[in-house]
Every structure is written in C-alpha cells, then in structure tokens.
Amino acid sequence: MAVGEAAAVAPRSDEPRVEAAGGARPRALDAGELAWLGLLPCAVLVVAAIVLLGPPLGRLVLPRSGLTFWPSNADLPSPEPTEQARFLLALTGPLLLTGFVALGLRGRWALAPAASAALTRAAQLAALAFVVVCHVVQVRHVFRLAVFTASERAVYFTPSTLAAAAVLAGALATAAASAGVRRRAAALRRDRRGLRVASAAVALLATAIWLLPAINFEGTIVSANAVIVNHFPYWLDEVFAVLDGRPPLVGYAAQYGSLWPYPVAAAMELLGVGVGAFTVTVAAISAGAMLAVYATFRRVAGGSLGGLLLFLPFLATSFFMMEGPFANRYAISNLFGTFPLRYAGPLLLLWLAARQLGGAAPRRARWLFAAAGLVVMNNVEFGLPALGATVAALLWSAGRPTWGAIRRLGIEALIGLVAAWLLVSALTLAVAGSLPHLDLLVRYSRLFAVAGWGMLPMSPTLGTSTIIYLTYVAALGAATVRAANRAPDRLLTGLLAWSGVFGLGIGSYYMGRSHPEVLTNMFCAWALSVTLLCVLAVRAIAAHPPRRPTLPEAACLFGFGVLVCSLAQAPTPWSQVSRLRRAGLHVYGHPVGETFVDAHTRPGEAVALLIPLGHRVAYNAGIVDVTPYTGGNSMPTVDQFEEMLRALEAAGGRKVFLDVSREAPELPDALAGRGYVERARERFGMAEFARAERRA
C-alpha cells in the first residue's frame, strides 16, 4: 500500500527558524505549520461528528425513496442513510482544515519555533502511523460478501510492490537533490520539436497498448473475461437506445453515460453497428481522455519528457487490472461503465482547466463551466464532483479571493451551465424532438443511493479506502497552503485543488457500493493526486538539496513509486493479437430472442422488450423498444414497470416481450392484472404478452 502519501497534507513552506538557545521567541506560524498543527484537532472533530451525528443526520437528510420493489427483489435493497451521512461529514474535514489555516493566518497565531517543530513532527508521525494501521487492517481483513468470489482478502499492492516503491522513492529523492541531474533536467525542459513529437508518440503508443484489452469483435466478445461479458449488454444497449429512437435524457434512463452514447452512435452509423465498431469507438474516447491528461502533465512538468514520465505511471494505475488471466483481463480499461462513460468527461475538463490556469484558451471561465455542465449532464455521480473541482481550482489558484471575485465567478458559472443546457437541448430536439428530461439524470441515483439497490456496507471501515481519502485531503491541504502563500505557479495550486475535490466527491460511488473491486475504480483520481503531490515534493527537495527529504516529501515519492510499479501490468501486444484471433459464437449481433420478436411484430411497431439488449433487437427488427431501461434486470421496482407500461401506451403499443425464465416471477401476473394476456411462448422461455382488445 502507498504508505505515507496521506501524510503529505502540505509540505512546509520553509524550515522552522530556530534561534539561539535561551532566546527562542514566539513567532507567527506560516500556512504550512498551521496545516500540520490543525490536522489532528480537525481529525478529532470530524471523527466525533461521524460517530455522534451520523445516525440522526442520516434519518433527517436522507428520506425514504418511496420506491416499491418486487417481492422477489425485496431482500436486495439495503439503504445506508447512516453511512451516507457519515461520508458527508467526512467531506467537511478538508474544509475544516482550510478554515483552520485561514483563521490562524488572520489571527497571526504565534508559537515558539522549537514547539512548532516538535508539534509538526508529531502530527506527521501520527499521520504516517495511522496510514500504516490502515494498510495492516486492509491486508488482514477477511471479506464476508457473497458477491466477492475472487479471494477472501483484497490486497491491492503486494509487499514486493511496496519494497520496489521504497527503492524508487529513494532513487527519485537522490536524483532531485543531485546538481548534475537538475542541470540535465533543466536542459531537457527546453522542449525541442523532436522531443515533443517523440514524447507524444510514446504517450500515444503506451495508451494504445493499455487499451488493447478493451477491443473486441462479434466473434471474440463471448470469450472475454466473464465479468466483462456480464456487463457488456448494458453498455452496448445505451448506444442502441439512441439508434432505436429512444435516446438518453428523452426516452431512456442511462445508467452510465447520458451524452457519450450520442457520438458513439454517430460513429457506429459510419463504421457499422457491430461490437467491433462499438469497442473501437469507446476505446478511442478513453485514449483521447488519457492524452488530455498527458497534455496536462506536460504543462505541470514544463516539458514533454517530464510530462511523459508523470503520465506513464498514471496511465498504468488508472487502468489497473482487477482480475486475470493476464491476457484476457478484467480491468478498468475494458470496464466501459467506468472508462470512458464516467471518467472521460472529467479528465477532458481537467485538461481545459489546466489550459485556462496556464493562460491558454478557454480564457473565459464561462466556457469552462459550459464544459463542466456537459460533464454533469452525462453522469451526475462523477460530473458534480468535476464541477465542484473546477470551482475549487479557480478559487484556490486565485490566492485569497475577494467576495467580488467569487460573485463574478458565480455569474460566469451560471452562464456556462445555462449554455450547457441549451446545447443538450439542441441535441435532443434534433434527435428526438424533445427537450431533455433532467429527472432521468438521477433515476439510477435514486434507485441506488436512496433506495439502496445493490448497496454494500463499507468493509473494512479503515483500510485502503481511508488512505485514498487522506491523499485527497493532502492534495487539498497542499493547495490551501500554496494559495495562502500566493505561490507563483497557480497551475499546480489549482490542479491540486481540482484533484482533491474531485477525488473526495467521487468517493460516494465506492461508499455506496463498497465492493473491493469497486475501489479500484477510484485509482485514476487517486493517481492524479499522488502524481501532483510528487511534483510538489520533487520541487521542494530540489530547492533545498543539502537536507534530507522531510517525512511528507518521502511519503509523496513513495506513493509515486507505487504508481510506477503498476507498469508491470502492461498487456503484451502479441497476447492481445492472439486473443482477438480466437473467434467464437456471434451472440450480440443477433441476441437471444430476436427471431421470436421479429416473428411476432411488424416493422415500425412500438413494443416493450424486457430482455437483454432489447434496443439492439428492436434496431435489427425495425421496431421501436419503448422500454426506458436495459431489459428487466435494470427494472427491479414496480414503479419502473408502471413507467414502462405508460410509455408503451403513449406510443400506441400493445405488446410486451419478456423471458419468463430470467425476469422477476411477478411480471406475468402483473401484466395479467393490467389487461395483458400471454399470446405465444417459445421453448426457451421467451413470451409475448398483448393487451386484450376492449369491447365496445
């Protein structure tokens, strides 16, 4: 585990000035000292609030969903109002620390240098000890989850990885302190054209290699990792909902991305509507998002080579492999619900924010907020944290903002968000003749977060997730200290704030469904904060080469060493070529049930298909599937069933198709109670229900 990176809340701006013995007079504390001195008191207050206020706050703030689940699903919802309230209270920790620093600077709190140095060191040691405890708890914890079948324990980084990370941290510290290395690094920062081209080519090639496991075709997808095969119909059906005329935000509630399916569908119209066109298109979007991060790191490092050295470990950790085999992996790179449907928008927004902080276009904040609005309207779970991160980046990079500056920023944000809504409205009007239905954005958030569908309790309470949380606190704390000190590099200050707020915000995703594999979905955001903190540590070491790295600086380098070790998971191109040559059955081109549906419908007819890949079946058969979801498995509540029937009746449809062997057993009786009778059934369980004709 990346022991200690959470300890780097804010590298101290300078060393304590120790006066001659017997004459040490109190002096005003600087921002870095205040951050460390406030760390433990703020942590105690937050923990007390979490323990004492979590249950009543959960009952007060998080109401019951009001959704009714089918009796066969009644044991699956597990609402977590107390856990969610405690997560919200945990988010106040960084803000409390920021307020402590601001209050201390305004009050010019003073302390003797020796006392300040001792208390600072004690806080650093306590933070490091806590991180070690979290790691030990993680590796010793035995999971008792029925859905966790890979292992009884989840160890994300092995002892050999930690040992290698320590060696890498030492080498990096030595290099940063070396005058010769610094001279050569300064020479390389003169970004010649050849170096820029070569670095960009390596970044592109590395990204392509890491994304090879994401590529599949009609004949290979059935042989992909079992987890990918199980998830794939949901990702693909969101795109076919667009092609079928029931696009997200109008007639379909997307679970992963409400806007990305539009350009993917357009690309598939040009390239073909097969699995290959889909996987190549979404992999290209992931590649674009990753190359945007490379461009961001180029700005942070001040050159192409430095940006590349920061980017490669970030890339490897972001596409962390969760399950083997090595050549046919289950990883973030081919988990399309995470990359690109959730992450691509925020990472592109990060790049735009970096450009503005660096003085490039877009120069007006309104355009940045317009992009943020699009990210929110694609997926609120990651979009709202990205919007908050953008606000934080602009505020923290401004030093100590005035109320006037905050008001102007608010106006720019309002203009940008309205522009985003107008753009999406123009899109949905052009495609479906309707304004976007914004309630569809939170349909699954209500189902999962409020009603508790698929939620799992956090286990263990302390562990790797706690270390990741503390890393975000470190990033935001470092940004706060830099803002208070008016550090000249506002780009790094702003990006530290961006990464901290974004990581804290998307933590709600893991907090809700606290599955060990879901935590790896957070690694991309965590790697961003670790990389930026490493840059901060290297600069501090290079600025004071004679001294040894401080504990926070060493922790940051160690964390980056852990990211570097993820490069060992790189897929080999030849193994991916071999995988793609092994063709199997074509099950997604013409999904199960398509022949039956085609035989019992007429072209252009509106029907409801409660089957996997129903929208692709409808597209192939030339009919319209009015179901606002991906089959019956995405509709665990009676409310969704009623919504589907209303959509069917509004479209003039009279038929419902479902697989009675797979869907909720209550559905046939529920259909009968609403006037639908079974007209036909095939031997595999596919059945047609039609609404009975009303007699005059």
Side-chain angles (χ1 to χ4, degrees):
M1 178 47 53
V3 179
E5 68 263 23
V9 171
R12 286 158 52 187
S13 59
D14 52 33
E15 291 296 309
R17 296 185 296 273
V18 182
E19 301 184 11
R25 307 163 89 185
R27 61 172 177 79
L29 297 170
D30 63 28
E33 292 169 320
L34 286 167
W36 282 113
L37 296 180
L39 179 62
L40 295 182
C42 290
V44 169
L45 287 175
V46 171
V47 170
I50 287 173
V51 173
L52 300 176
L53 301 181
L57 183 63
R59 292 191 296 268
L60 178 66
V61 175
L62 298 169
R64 295 183 179 274
S65 68
L67 298 176
T68 303
F69 289 86
W70 296 109
S72 59
N73 294 326
D75 60 334
L76 293 178
S78 180
E80 300 175 343
T82 297
E83 189 170 294
Q84 289 171 317
R86 284 173 169 167
F87 173 76
L88 294 176
L89 290 169
L91 295 184
T92 65
L95 298 178
L96 189 62
L97 184 61
T98 299
F100 182 91
V101 172
L103 189 62
L105 290 174
R106 178 169 295 185
R108 297 190 60 80
W109 294 349
L111 201 63
S116 172
L119 291 174
T120 297
R121 179 55 61 90
Q124 293 172 353
L125 290 173
L128 178 60
F130 181 67
V131 170
V132 172
V133 168
C134 289
H135 174 63
V136 172
V137 170
Q138 178 72 55
V139 299
R140 293 172 61 88
H141 180 73
V142 178
F143 288 90
R144 307 292 184 186
L145 302 175
V147 294
F148 186 48
T149 58
S151 170
E152 290 185 338
R153 289 184 170 87
V155 180
Y156 302 98
F157 304 108
T158 64
S160 58
T161 295
L162 301 183
V167 173
L168 289 168
L172 190 54
T174 302
S178 169
V181 172
R182 291 199 306 275
R183 281 195 302 270
R184 286 189 287 272
L188 288 174
R189 289 186 66 179
R190 293 193 290 272
D191 228 358
R192 299 179 179 85
R193 177 178 174 81
L195 183 59
R196 288 199 305 271
V197 172
S199 297
V202 172
L204 177 60
L205 178 61
T207 302
I209 290 174
W210 277 95
L211 283 169
L212 282 175
I215 305 300
N216 270 293
F217 302 101
E218 296 285 358
T220 64
I221 183 60
V222 70
S223 301
N225 189 285
V227 182
I228 300 301
V229 173
N230 291 336
H231 284 82
F232 196 81
Y234 299 94
W235 308 324
L236 186 60
D237 215 44
E238 291 191 358
V239 177
F240 272 97
V242 178
L243 298 172
D244 184 37
R246 304 292 296 183
L249 296 181
V250 178
Y252 181 86
Q255 184 172 344
Y256 301 101
S258 294
L259 293 184
W260 280 121
Y262 286 92
V264 174
M268 290 175 66
E269 287 278 23
L270 296 174
L271 302 174
V273 293
V275 169
F278 172 74
T279 59
V280 168
T281 301
V282 293
I285 295 173
S286 294
M290 277 296 170
L291 292 176
V293 177
Y294 164 67
T296 300
F297 286 155
R298 273 188 56 213
R299 290 180 173 274
V300 171
S304 298
L305 184 58
L308 181 64
L309 294 177
L310 296 176
F311 172 69
L312 293 177
F314 168 84
L315 173 71
T317 309
S318 297
F319 290 156
F320 198 83
M321 187 176 75
M322 293 173 279
E323 180 182 306
F326 200 76
N328 193 20
R329 64 186 62 194
Y330 163 40
I332 305 300
S333 57
N334 55 2
L335 188 66
F336 296 143
T338 300
F339 254 104
L341 296 178
R342 285 191 173 102
Y343 261 119
L347 294 183
L348 290 169
L349 182 61
L350 168 71
W351 169 62
L352 291 175
R355 286 179 58 84
Q356 184 171 92
L357 293 174
R363 298 184 183 277
R364 298 292 296 270
R366 64 185 59 175
W367 304 120
L368 193 59
F369 283 111
L374 295 177
V375 174
V376 172
M377 296 188 72
N378 177 69
N379 180 281
V380 294
E381 295 169 345
F382 281 48
L384 285 177
L387 172 61
T390 302
V391 173
L394 295 177
L395 288 178
W396 263 254
S397 63
R400 301 176 187 178
T402 63
W403 285 112
I406 294 175
R407 184 174 61 254
R408 289 191 295 273
L409 186 63
I411 294 173
E412 290 286 299
L414 179 61
I415 294 172
L417 294 176
V418 170
W421 182 82
L422 291 174
L423 286 171
V424 175
S425 298
L427 173 66
T428 58
L429 283 169
V431 172
S434 171
L435 290 173
H437 302 163
L438 298 184
D439 61 299
L440 292 175
L441 279 173
V442 296
R443 187 64 54 83
Y444 276 103
S445 297
R446 183 186 179 199
L447 181 64
F448 285 92
V450 181
W453 177 255
M455 295 294 97
L456 295 170
M458 185 169 290
S459 174
T461 304
L462 298 179
T464 302
S465 61
T466 313
I467 299 175
I468 291 176
Y469 163 80
L470 292 175
T471 306
Y472 301 141
V473 176
L476 196 54
T480 299
V481 171
R482 290 176 59 83
N485 291 337
R486 301 187 184 277
D489 185 359
R490 62 189 299 262
L491 171 64
L492 182 57
T493 301
L495 292 184
L496 282 164
W498 197 100
S499 71
V501 171
F502 178 67
L504 289 168
I506 68 170
S508 63
Y509 180 63
Y510 170 74
M511 180 276 306
R513 184 167 174 78
S514 305
H515 191 287
E517 290 176 355
V518 174
L519 185 61
T520 60
N521 290 206
M522 307 292 102
F523 279 8
C524 177
W526 174 66
L528 177 63
S529 289
V530 170
T531 302
L532 295 172
L533 287 169
C534 176
V535 172
L536 202 61
V538 169
R539 290 184 181 181
I541 295 171
H544 303 88
R547 65 167 173 79
R548 292 179 298 177
T550 64
L551 189 60
E553 291 163 1
C556 293
L557 300 183
F558 181 84
F560 189 72
V562 172
L563 304 190
V564 173
C565 291
S566 297
L567 289 167
Q569 293 186 350
T572 55
W574 49 91
S575 68
Q576 296 304 307
V577 171
S578 176
R579 175 183 65 85
L580 293 173
R581 285 178 174 173
R582 295 192 296 268
L585 297 175
H586 291 209
V587 298
Y588 289 115
H590 296 281
V592 175
E594 181 180 317
T595 302
F596 180 81
V597 171
D598 193 33
H600 293 83
T601 56
R602 63 183 185 276
E605 185 177 3
V607 300
L609 302 180
L610 304 187
I611 58 178
L613 280 174
H615 289 283
R616 175 153 204 183
V617 169
Y619 178 83
N620 291 347
I623 59 178
V624 176
D625 179 14
V626 303
T627 310
Y629 305 94
T630 297
N633 288 335
S634 298
M635 301 167 54
T637 68
V638 178
D639 310 78
Q640 293 170 298
F641 174 77
E642 298 287 356
E643 178 189 8
M644 177 272 296
L645 289 182
R646 289 194 299 270
L648 180 62
E649 293 171 2
R654 308 180 63 85
K655 298 176 183 177
V656 177
F657 293 84
L658 65 97
D659 186 345
V660 295
S661 65
R662 299 181 56 173
E663 305 298 344
E666 300 88 354
L667 286 178
D669 290 339
L671 286 169
R674 287 154 179 81
Y676 288 80
V677 297
E678 183 176 335
R679 293 286 181 83
R681 180 184 297 198
E682 67 172 5
R683 59 193 179 99
F684 297 111
M686 189 67 62
E688 174 200 0
F689 291 80
R691 190 170 56 185
E693 296 288 347
R694 295 181 181 177
R695 296 183 179 180

